[in-house]
Amino acid sequence: MVETTSAKPKAATRQISIEGSATPAHVVQVLGADSVTLGHGMTTHIARQIIQIQPSSAYLIGTDTNIAPLHLEQLRNALVAALAEIGSTARVHAYVIPPGETTKTRETKAMIEDWMLENKLTRDSCILALGGGVIGDLFGFVAATFMRGVPVFQIPTTLLAMVDSSIGGKTAIDTPAGKNLIGAFHQPRHIFMDLAYLRTLPRREFVNGMAEVIKTAAIWNEDDFTLLENGAEEILGLSADNSSSSSDSKQKSEHDLKLLIQVVLGSIQVKAHVVTVDEKETGLRGLLNYGHTVGHAIEAILTPELLHGECVAMGMVREAEIARHLGYVNDVVIGRIVRVLQAYGLPVSTEDKKVLQLAPGKHCSVDQLLDIMRVDKKNQGDKKRMVMLSGIGSTFEPKASFISDNVIRKILSPAMEVEAVEKSGAVKEVKINVPGSKSISNRALVLAALGSGVCRLEGLLHSDDVQVMLDSLQKLVGIKYTWEDNGDTLVVEGGAGKLQVPHSEIYLGNAGTAARFLTTVCCLVRAGEGKITTVTGNSRMKQRPIGPLVDALSSNGCDLAYLESQGCLPLAIKPTGLKGGHVKLSASISSQYVSSILLSAPYATNPVTLELVGDAVVSKPYIDMTISMMKSFGIHATQDASNENIYHIPQGVYKNPKEYLIEADASSATYPLAYAAITGTKVTVTNIGANSMQGDAEFAVKVLRPMGCTVEQTATQTTVQGPARLAPIPSIDMETMTDAFLTASVLAACASTGVAGEKGITKIHGISNQRVKECNRIAAMVEQLAKFGVHANELPDGIEIHGVAGDPKSALKTPEGGVFCYDDHRVAMSFSLLACARGSGSKSVILEKKCVEKTWPAWWDALENILGGKVHGVDLTGHGAAGYKSSK
């Protein structure tokens, strides 16, 4: 494994002064020579240096129609002036081509060469590649072959070319078979990087380049990666679309330039070092292709609508997921990579909103991606080579690793095929840790962000929901955070209640907890005249109710407006602050409304008295959890002595504890325990027991034990072994563990009375709030259980399941068209367990496999690698829609 240390080698650099520039330039060595000059405003210096380094009879500036109007004349005039200074009669030519990857072809190369021959350019000519990666690759390849090789200077004008393609001497053209398959190594005489060129670079192109900066930090240096994590908004502000105005202070402009140099120079030094060690890419240089094996395949399909860096970003996530599947990295690494890419506006999957908007109608099928990868120049024979991370800033090997098609297919496929599990004679024993609690993770992040001081959060869940919460709090509070203990501990420096209107919308996907908690947090913002905070989500999130919370906040003087449907996101929230006093709230739909106000109440202008009105409060244990956690952060909310539906919250500022341990997710723990119940395996969940503050921790005792399982539970662990036959539970109230009802439902489908031909009936009550979760979960279970031949029907506050008669291995049917998951993590994980209960050789397809990332991103890896199930990736393009029925 390549170790991660802040002292990891980088290329040597030195500073020089440049005439006419107030900023010192940095000279970086490549292959033992001064090869890169990075500075600002140095066109005259570039021209003089080129003529001094490479006297020639003719200089050809190669560029494209986008760059020519911006920078060509300035460079050409500087060259002419520099030649006049020394009395040279050398000619200066320019050749301008159309922009874009589609021009990087044999035909364009031949046209350039023919023009050069017609204009009598000879072996003592010199080429200047002025532009982005396409220009550098194409004119670099022309230089490598024209007259058997002429000198070339790289003058990159894009961030992507500066930090990646201009360094190292790789030149190439594309073919119908793939990118960069025909080319040569041809080292440039020098590379001049003038950061002034980036002032004309569109924001999207700037972000495109940031993908390569992130890639380099991910493989080489965690300190650089942390800078990118914490500085996303500030770094994005350096793009042309956000460049400093004339009214900005000189001090700010200097700060911005210094930051830009730091970001660019860090990547340049890493690539320069790697190229020096391994010029021809026989080992170490292959690390620079992290994300590129999958990314190039995606790019071949989605170009020209998607840019190179955007495709590499998606490739980075997929290749990191492959590393996780193979046991090289954990969820922390995936979460950090996804978060930082999203923070810069880069897509993280082909289903990303940005990809669907830019390339509608295009689909990256797994077979097509694998076919493209087969002709990738990085392969050896039929083996795919990919860079496997072992952590942030480190790799599993000091080179690319060989990965089988089976593993790649499993990760790239949108659906998962689950094989039935055969019971063996000997009892298999398994121990497993489950991820951190989503409920506690989200609450802890809000508390630490609003609190004063530094807090170390241990055991944080790394999932989609927590990612959007962390990103949103960074926008609202400007929190700074770092990672310790190989990512197991998040160190948060709270903002002590200081909030700001974010520069961009708060997009929450389908994260209901984040949507409800952050709606009240946004109301705390006081500063920001004329500004509003927009809180939005995906199409399902825009259907989930938030009306009772908005009504309560509006009645307290907050200014919230629905932008689309009444009672749902998106919301426009003005920075009015929370007045406080007596607040009335209906909590019969979701306890998260209550927790939302409780968490933010200490920062109201006046102490808050929160009265819950209307029908019975649902999921009260989660309200108790919130109050208990607030106490750990120094605020004591109390229940009224005469009315249990009234809470008193004093004013104050949360005081962050030095450390806060987030316990494991009790809802997630139900899945491995249910696997034990179905397969007869003996499973111990090592980080959930009787001391948990979560209601779902009672699942083993209140559900599995009555169904016939052997259950042992200590304060911190739970062990379950399944029986020969699961027994139905005539009636059970699951109001205190509503999220676990889906797990109970698939177990009830396998339960029987033991009487031939008689079906066992299980009735689950107290779960009416599950109709307004990620989907209408009760209806979803009825519909998808039917695909397995299991009859179920809705009850006013629950579900009734008729277990199959006899042995489930012979009675459960194949779910035709696959199990549709409604983008709901708990639906997917629950039915993956039911698939395990089917007969030997049976296979069931679970569509939308990635929805498990909401709470257990590595569920499929855990099911196969730890519990012992067997899963295979499948690509059933178009089947998802066919399997859908409205759950409304």
Side-chain angles (χ1 to χ4, degrees), residues 205-233:
E205 288 287 355
F206 184 88
V207 170
N208 186 43
M210 285 305 301
E212 293 286 355
V213 176
I214 293 166
K215 172 211 74 176
T216 302
I219 63 168
W220 203 258
N221 191 290
E222 186 171 10
D223 291 342
D224 290 350
F225 196 91
T226 301
L227 170 69
L228 298 175
E229 284 179 312
N230 281 299
E233 197 155 324

PDB file of all heavy atoms in Angstrom, residues 205-233:
ATOM      1  N   GLU A 205     -15.951  24.904 -17.347  1.00  0.00           N
ATOM      2  CA  GLU A 205     -14.614  24.430 -17.703  1.00  0.00           C
ATOM      3  C   GLU A 205     -13.684  24.470 -16.495  1.00  0.00           C
ATOM      4  O   GLU A 205     -12.801  23.621 -16.351  1.00  0.00           O
ATOM      5  CB  GLU A 205     -14.041  25.273 -18.849  1.00  0.00           C
ATOM      6  CG  GLU A 205     -14.695  25.024 -20.198  1.00  0.00           C
ATOM      7  CD  GLU A 205     -14.288  23.687 -20.806  1.00  0.00           C
ATOM      8  OE1 GLU A 205     -13.424  23.004 -20.226  1.00  0.00           O
ATOM      9  OE2 GLU A 205     -14.839  23.319 -21.853  1.00  0.00           O
ATOM     10  N   PHE A 206     -13.862  25.454 -15.635  1.00  0.00           N
ATOM     11  CA  PHE A 206     -13.074  25.517 -14.404  1.00  0.00           C
ATOM     12  C   PHE A 206     -13.373  24.297 -13.536  1.00  0.00           C
ATOM     13  O   PHE A 206     -12.459  23.634 -13.033  1.00  0.00           O
ATOM     14  CB  PHE A 206     -13.400  26.813 -13.657  1.00  0.00           C
ATOM     15  CG  PHE A 206     -12.569  27.037 -12.418  1.00  0.00           C
ATOM     16  CD1 PHE A 206     -11.334  27.690 -12.494  1.00  0.00           C
ATOM     17  CD2 PHE A 206     -12.999  26.598 -11.175  1.00  0.00           C
ATOM     18  CE1 PHE A 206     -10.562  27.899 -11.359  1.00  0.00           C
ATOM     19  CE2 PHE A 206     -12.241  26.796 -10.030  1.00  0.00           C
ATOM     20  CZ  PHE A 206     -11.014  27.463 -10.130  1.00  0.00           C
ATOM     21  N   VAL A 207     -14.653  23.996 -13.377  1.00  0.00           N
ATOM     22  CA  VAL A 207     -15.065  22.826 -12.596  1.00  0.00           C
ATOM     23  C   VAL A 207     -14.552  21.547 -13.253  1.00  0.00           C
ATOM     24  O   VAL A 207     -14.136  20.600 -12.566  1.00  0.00           O
ATOM     25  CB  VAL A 207     -16.604  22.806 -12.454  1.00  0.00           C
ATOM     26  CG1 VAL A 207     -17.085  21.483 -11.876  1.00  0.00           C
ATOM     27  CG2 VAL A 207     -17.072  23.969 -11.583  1.00  0.00           C
ATOM     28  N   ASN A 208     -14.571  21.510 -14.569  1.00  0.00           N
ATOM     29  CA  ASN A 208     -14.049  20.373 -15.318  1.00  0.00           C
ATOM     30  C   ASN A 208     -12.607  20.083 -14.907  1.00  0.00           C
ATOM     31  O   ASN A 208     -12.223  18.934 -14.688  1.00  0.00           O
ATOM     32  CB  ASN A 208     -14.133  20.691 -16.813  1.00  0.00           C
ATOM     33  CG  ASN A 208     -13.744  19.530 -17.699  1.00  0.00           C
ATOM     34  OD1 ASN A 208     -14.136  18.386 -17.459  1.00  0.00           O
ATOM     35  ND2 ASN A 208     -12.983  19.814 -18.738  1.00  0.00           N
ATOM     36  N   GLY A 209     -11.805  21.123 -14.775  1.00  0.00           N
ATOM     37  CA  GLY A 209     -10.425  20.962 -14.357  1.00  0.00           C
ATOM     38  C   GLY A 209     -10.291  20.538 -12.905  1.00  0.00           C
ATOM     39  O   GLY A 209      -9.349  19.818 -12.528  1.00  0.00           O
ATOM     40  N   MET A 210     -11.235  20.988 -12.070  1.00  0.00           N
ATOM     41  CA  MET A 210     -11.163  20.630 -10.650  1.00  0.00           C
ATOM     42  C   MET A 210     -11.297  19.121 -10.444  1.00  0.00           C
ATOM     43  O   MET A 210     -10.813  18.588  -9.432  1.00  0.00           O
ATOM     44  CB  MET A 210     -12.245  21.365  -9.861  1.00  0.00           C
ATOM     45  CG  MET A 210     -11.956  22.841  -9.610  1.00  0.00           C
ATOM     46  SD  MET A 210     -10.368  23.154  -8.795  1.00  0.00           S
ATOM     47  CE  MET A 210     -10.567  22.219  -7.275  1.00  0.00           C
ATOM     48  N   ALA A 211     -11.924  18.418 -11.378  1.00  0.00           N
ATOM     49  CA  ALA A 211     -12.016  16.958 -11.257  1.00  0.00           C
ATOM     50  C   ALA A 211     -10.629  16.335 -11.208  1.00  0.00           C
ATOM     51  O   ALA A 211     -10.364  15.407 -10.419  1.00  0.00           O
ATOM     52  CB  ALA A 211     -12.821  16.379 -12.424  1.00  0.00           C
ATOM     53  N   GLU A 212      -9.713  16.834 -12.050  1.00  0.00           N
ATOM     54  CA  GLU A 212      -8.352  16.298 -12.053  1.00  0.00           C
ATOM     55  C   GLU A 212      -7.586  16.719 -10.801  1.00  0.00           C
ATOM     56  O   GLU A 212      -6.746  15.968 -10.290  1.00  0.00           O
ATOM     57  CB  GLU A 212      -7.609  16.755 -13.307  1.00  0.00           C
ATOM     58  CG  GLU A 212      -8.154  16.162 -14.610  1.00  0.00           C
ATOM     59  CD  GLU A 212      -7.787  14.688 -14.803  1.00  0.00           C
ATOM     60  OE1 GLU A 212      -7.037  14.148 -13.969  1.00  0.00           O
ATOM     61  OE2 GLU A 212      -8.253  14.084 -15.787  1.00  0.00           O
ATOM     62  N   VAL A 213      -7.867  17.903 -10.285  1.00  0.00           N
ATOM     63  CA  VAL A 213      -7.229  18.337  -9.031  1.00  0.00           C
ATOM     64  C   VAL A 213      -7.660  17.415  -7.890  1.00  0.00           C
ATOM     65  O   VAL A 213      -6.836  16.972  -7.074  1.00  0.00           O
ATOM     66  CB  VAL A 213      -7.607  19.799  -8.714  1.00  0.00           C
ATOM     67  CG1 VAL A 213      -7.036  20.222  -7.360  1.00  0.00           C
ATOM     68  CG2 VAL A 213      -7.100  20.737  -9.811  1.00  0.00           C
ATOM     69  N   ILE A 214      -8.952  17.122  -7.839  1.00  0.00           N
ATOM     70  CA  ILE A 214      -9.485  16.226  -6.806  1.00  0.00           C
ATOM     71  C   ILE A 214      -8.886  14.833  -6.963  1.00  0.00           C
ATOM     72  O   ILE A 214      -8.501  14.191  -5.981  1.00  0.00           O
ATOM     73  CB  ILE A 214     -11.023  16.182  -6.885  1.00  0.00           C
ATOM     74  CG1 ILE A 214     -11.614  17.546  -6.499  1.00  0.00           C
ATOM     75  CG2 ILE A 214     -11.590  15.079  -5.987  1.00  0.00           C
ATOM     76  CD1 ILE A 214     -13.073  17.710  -6.860  1.00  0.00           C
ATOM     77  N   LYS A 215      -8.809  14.359  -8.198  1.00  0.00           N
ATOM     78  CA  LYS A 215      -8.225  13.038  -8.464  1.00  0.00           C
ATOM     79  C   LYS A 215      -6.813  12.939  -7.914  1.00  0.00           C
ATOM     80  O   LYS A 215      -6.449  11.968  -7.233  1.00  0.00           O
ATOM     81  CB  LYS A 215      -8.206  12.778  -9.964  1.00  0.00           C
ATOM     82  CG  LYS A 215      -7.461  11.520 -10.393  1.00  0.00           C
ATOM     83  CD  LYS A 215      -6.822  11.666 -11.756  1.00  0.00           C
ATOM     84  CE  LYS A 215      -5.580  12.568 -11.706  1.00  0.00           C
ATOM     85  NZ  LYS A 215      -4.905  12.645 -13.018  1.00  0.00           N
ATOM     86  N   THR A 216      -6.004  13.956  -8.203  1.00  0.00           N
ATOM     87  CA  THR A 216      -4.604  13.935  -7.768  1.00  0.00           C
ATOM     88  C   THR A 216      -4.500  13.910  -6.255  1.00  0.00           C
ATOM     89  O   THR A 216      -3.708  13.153  -5.671  1.00  0.00           O
ATOM     90  CB  THR A 216      -3.855  15.152  -8.337  1.00  0.00           C
ATOM     91  OG1 THR A 216      -3.957  15.127  -9.771  1.00  0.00           O
ATOM     92  CG2 THR A 216      -2.402  15.136  -7.932  1.00  0.00           C
ATOM     93  N   ALA A 217      -5.301  14.724  -5.590  1.00  0.00           N
ATOM     94  CA  ALA A 217      -5.279  14.735  -4.120  1.00  0.00           C
ATOM     95  C   ALA A 217      -5.739  13.396  -3.563  1.00  0.00           C
ATOM     96  O   ALA A 217      -5.203  12.910  -2.554  1.00  0.00           O
ATOM     97  CB  ALA A 217      -6.156  15.863  -3.601  1.00  0.00           C
ATOM     98  N   ALA A 218      -6.725  12.778  -4.201  1.00  0.00           N
ATOM     99  CA  ALA A 218      -7.275  11.511  -3.710  1.00  0.00           C
ATOM    100  C   ALA A 218      -6.243  10.394  -3.723  1.00  0.00           C
ATOM    101  O   ALA A 218      -6.243   9.527  -2.844  1.00  0.00           O
ATOM    102  CB  ALA A 218      -8.495  11.116  -4.535  1.00  0.00           C
ATOM    103  N   ILE A 219      -5.350  10.397  -4.703  1.00  0.00           N
ATOM    104  CA  ILE A 219      -4.361   9.313  -4.790  1.00  0.00           C
ATOM    105  C   ILE A 219      -3.070   9.625  -4.045  1.00  0.00           C
ATOM    106  O   ILE A 219      -2.281   8.735  -3.769  1.00  0.00           O
ATOM    107  CB  ILE A 219      -4.005   8.989  -6.261  1.00  0.00           C
ATOM    108  CG1 ILE A 219      -3.352  10.198  -6.942  1.00  0.00           C
ATOM    109  CG2 ILE A 219      -5.220   8.490  -7.023  1.00  0.00           C
ATOM    110  CD1 ILE A 219      -2.704   9.887  -8.280  1.00  0.00           C
ATOM    111  N   TRP A 220      -2.856  10.915  -3.691  1.00  0.00           N
ATOM    112  CA  TRP A 220      -1.510  11.290  -3.274  1.00  0.00           C
ATOM    113  C   TRP A 220      -1.401  11.986  -1.922  1.00  0.00           C
ATOM    114  O   TRP A 220      -0.473  11.717  -1.171  1.00  0.00           O
ATOM    115  CB  TRP A 220      -0.890  12.178  -4.355  1.00  0.00           C
ATOM    116  CG  TRP A 220       0.603  12.190  -4.334  1.00  0.00           C
ATOM    117  CD1 TRP A 220       1.430  13.168  -3.833  1.00  0.00           C
ATOM    118  CD2 TRP A 220       1.466  11.167  -4.834  1.00  0.00           C
ATOM    119  NE1 TRP A 220       2.742  12.810  -3.994  1.00  0.00           N
ATOM    120  CE2 TRP A 220       2.803  11.580  -4.614  1.00  0.00           C
ATOM    121  CE3 TRP A 220       1.242   9.934  -5.458  1.00  0.00           C
ATOM    122  CZ2 TRP A 220       3.902  10.805  -4.989  1.00  0.00           C
ATOM    123  CZ3 TRP A 220       2.330   9.160  -5.839  1.00  0.00           C
ATOM    124  CH2 TRP A 220       3.636   9.590  -5.605  1.00  0.00           C
ATOM    125  N   ASN A 221      -2.335  12.887  -1.598  1.00  0.00           N
ATOM    126  CA  ASN A 221      -2.083  13.727  -0.432  1.00  0.00           C
ATOM    127  C   ASN A 221      -3.386  14.106   0.260  1.00  0.00           C
ATOM    128  O   ASN A 221      -4.193  14.860  -0.283  1.00  0.00           O
ATOM    129  CB  ASN A 221      -1.325  14.990  -0.852  1.00  0.00           C
ATOM    130  CG  ASN A 221      -0.796  15.762   0.337  1.00  0.00           C
ATOM    131  OD1 ASN A 221      -1.557  16.344   1.087  1.00  0.00           O
ATOM    132  ND2 ASN A 221       0.527  15.760   0.506  1.00  0.00           N
ATOM    133  N   GLU A 222      -3.598  13.588   1.464  1.00  0.00           N
ATOM    134  CA  GLU A 222      -4.841  13.855   2.190  1.00  0.00           C
ATOM    135  C   GLU A 222      -4.944  15.319   2.618  1.00  0.00           C
ATOM    136  O   GLU A 222      -6.045  15.868   2.687  1.00  0.00           O
ATOM    137  CB  GLU A 222      -4.966  12.945   3.404  1.00  0.00           C
ATOM    138  CG  GLU A 222      -6.310  13.087   4.107  1.00  0.00           C
ATOM    139  CD  GLU A 222      -6.545  12.056   5.190  1.00  0.00           C
ATOM    140  OE1 GLU A 222      -5.596  11.334   5.539  1.00  0.00           O
ATOM    141  OE2 GLU A 222      -7.690  11.978   5.679  1.00  0.00           O
ATOM    142  N   ASP A 223      -3.811  15.961   2.893  1.00  0.00           N
ATOM    143  CA  ASP A 223      -3.856  17.375   3.270  1.00  0.00           C
ATOM    144  C   ASP A 223      -4.420  18.219   2.131  1.00  0.00           C
ATOM    145  O   ASP A 223      -5.231  19.132   2.352  1.00  0.00           O
ATOM    146  CB  ASP A 223      -2.461  17.871   3.643  1.00  0.00           C
ATOM    147  CG  ASP A 223      -1.957  17.261   4.945  1.00  0.00           C
ATOM    148  OD1 ASP A 223      -2.788  16.751   5.712  1.00  0.00           O
ATOM    149  OD2 ASP A 223      -0.737  17.275   5.179  1.00  0.00           O
ATOM    150  N   ASP A 224      -3.977  17.922   0.905  1.00  0.00           N
ATOM    151  CA  ASP A 224      -4.519  18.638  -0.256  1.00  0.00           C
ATOM    152  C   ASP A 224      -6.012  18.365  -0.409  1.00  0.00           C
ATOM    153  O   ASP A 224      -6.797  19.264  -0.746  1.00  0.00           O
ATOM    154  CB  ASP A 224      -3.786  18.214  -1.533  1.00  0.00           C
ATOM    155  CG  ASP A 224      -2.352  18.721  -1.583  1.00  0.00           C
ATOM    156  OD1 ASP A 224      -1.985  19.554  -0.731  1.00  0.00           O
ATOM    157  OD2 ASP A 224      -1.599  18.273  -2.478  1.00  0.00           O
ATOM    158  N   PHE A 225      -6.413  17.119  -0.161  1.00  0.00           N
ATOM    159  CA  PHE A 225      -7.820  16.748  -0.274  1.00  0.00           C
ATOM    160  C   PHE A 225      -8.658  17.503   0.751  1.00  0.00           C
ATOM    161  O   PHE A 225      -9.758  17.983   0.441  1.00  0.00           O
ATOM    162  CB  PHE A 225      -7.971  15.236  -0.092  1.00  0.00           C
ATOM    163  CG  PHE A 225      -9.294  14.682  -0.551  1.00  0.00           C
ATOM    164  CD1 PHE A 225      -9.464  14.230  -1.846  1.00  0.00           C
ATOM    165  CD2 PHE A 225     -10.382  14.619   0.318  1.00  0.00           C
ATOM    166  CE1 PHE A 225     -10.684  13.717  -2.268  1.00  0.00           C
ATOM    167  CE2 PHE A 225     -11.595  14.112  -0.093  1.00  0.00           C
ATOM    168  CZ  PHE A 225     -11.747  13.655  -1.396  1.00  0.00           C
ATOM    169  N   THR A 226      -8.152  17.622   1.964  1.00  0.00           N
ATOM    170  CA  THR A 226      -8.872  18.344   3.015  1.00  0.00           C
ATOM    171  C   THR A 226      -9.043  19.815   2.652  1.00  0.00           C
ATOM    172  O   THR A 226     -10.099  20.418   2.904  1.00  0.00           O
ATOM    173  CB  THR A 226      -8.129  18.205   4.357  1.00  0.00           C
ATOM    174  OG1 THR A 226      -8.030  16.817   4.700  1.00  0.00           O
ATOM    175  CG2 THR A 226      -8.858  18.935   5.467  1.00  0.00           C
ATOM    176  N   LEU A 227      -8.008  20.396   2.050  1.00  0.00           N
ATOM    177  CA  LEU A 227      -8.125  21.778   1.580  1.00  0.00           C
ATOM    178  C   LEU A 227      -9.264  21.902   0.571  1.00  0.00           C
ATOM    179  O   LEU A 227     -10.063  22.851   0.634  1.00  0.00           O
ATOM    180  CB  LEU A 227      -6.809  22.215   0.924  1.00  0.00           C
ATOM    181  CG  LEU A 227      -6.852  23.556   0.166  1.00  0.00           C
ATOM    182  CD1 LEU A 227      -7.025  24.724   1.137  1.00  0.00           C
ATOM    183  CD2 LEU A 227      -5.588  23.745  -0.677  1.00  0.00           C
ATOM    184  N   LEU A 228      -9.376  20.948  -0.322  1.00  0.00           N
ATOM    185  CA  LEU A 228     -10.438  20.983  -1.336  1.00  0.00           C
ATOM    186  C   LEU A 228     -11.809  20.791  -0.695  1.00  0.00           C
ATOM    187  O   LEU A 228     -12.796  21.399  -1.124  1.00  0.00           O
ATOM    188  CB  LEU A 228     -10.194  19.907  -2.394  1.00  0.00           C
ATOM    189  CG  LEU A 228      -8.892  20.041  -3.190  1.00  0.00           C
ATOM    190  CD1 LEU A 228      -8.711  18.842  -4.119  1.00  0.00           C
ATOM    191  CD2 LEU A 228      -8.884  21.335  -3.998  1.00  0.00           C
ATOM    192  N   GLU A 229     -11.892  19.945   0.338  1.00  0.00           N
ATOM    193  CA  GLU A 229     -13.165  19.724   1.035  1.00  0.00           C
ATOM    194  C   GLU A 229     -13.656  21.002   1.696  1.00  0.00           C
ATOM    195  O   GLU A 229     -14.835  21.371   1.570  1.00  0.00           O
ATOM    196  CB  GLU A 229     -12.990  18.642   2.106  1.00  0.00           C
ATOM    197  CG  GLU A 229     -12.921  17.227   1.583  1.00  0.00           C
ATOM    198  CD  GLU A 229     -12.714  16.229   2.699  1.00  0.00           C
ATOM    199  OE1 GLU A 229     -11.831  16.448   3.551  1.00  0.00           O
ATOM    200  OE2 GLU A 229     -13.432  15.201   2.713  1.00  0.00           O
ATOM    201  N   ASN A 230     -12.788  21.657   2.405  1.00  0.00           N
ATOM    202  CA  ASN A 230     -13.197  22.818   3.193  1.00  0.00           C
ATOM    203  C   ASN A 230     -13.257  24.105   2.390  1.00  0.00           C
ATOM    204  O   ASN A 230     -13.912  25.065   2.803  1.00  0.00           O
ATOM    205  CB  ASN A 230     -12.236  23.001   4.372  1.00  0.00           C
ATOM    206  CG  ASN A 230     -12.541  22.048   5.520  1.00  0.00           C
ATOM    207  OD1 ASN A 230     -13.628  22.080   6.082  1.00  0.00           O
ATOM    208  ND2 ASN A 230     -11.599  21.187   5.844  1.00  0.00           N
ATOM    209  N   GLY A 231     -12.583  24.137   1.245  1.00  0.00           N
ATOM    210  CA  GLY A 231     -12.507  25.380   0.494  1.00  0.00           C
ATOM    211  C   GLY A 231     -13.321  25.421  -0.774  1.00  0.00           C
ATOM    212  O   GLY A 231     -13.075  26.278  -1.637  1.00  0.00           O
ATOM    213  N   ALA A 232     -14.313  24.535  -0.897  1.00  0.00           N
ATOM    214  CA  ALA A 232     -15.031  24.418  -2.170  1.00  0.00           C
ATOM    215  C   ALA A 232     -15.645  25.738  -2.621  1.00  0.00           C
ATOM    216  O   ALA A 232     -15.451  26.172  -3.767  1.00  0.00           O
ATOM    217  CB  ALA A 232     -16.111  23.339  -2.068  1.00  0.00           C
ATOM    218  N   GLU A 233     -16.375  26.391  -1.742  1.00  0.00           N
ATOM    219  CA  GLU A 233     -17.064  27.615  -2.146  1.00  0.00           C
ATOM    220  C   GLU A 233     -16.064  28.719  -2.498  1.00  0.00           C
ATOM    221  O   GLU A 233     -16.237  29.455  -3.472  1.00  0.00           O
ATOM    222  CB  GLU A 233     -18.009  28.063  -1.033  1.00  0.00           C
ATOM    223  CG  GLU A 233     -19.045  29.072  -1.503  1.00  0.00           C
ATOM    224  CD  GLU A 233     -20.290  29.063  -0.635  1.00  0.00           C
ATOM    225  OE1 GLU A 233     -20.702  27.993  -0.167  1.00  0.00           O
ATOM    226  OE2 GLU A 233     -20.839  30.162  -0.445  1.00  0.00           O
TER     227      GLU A 233
END
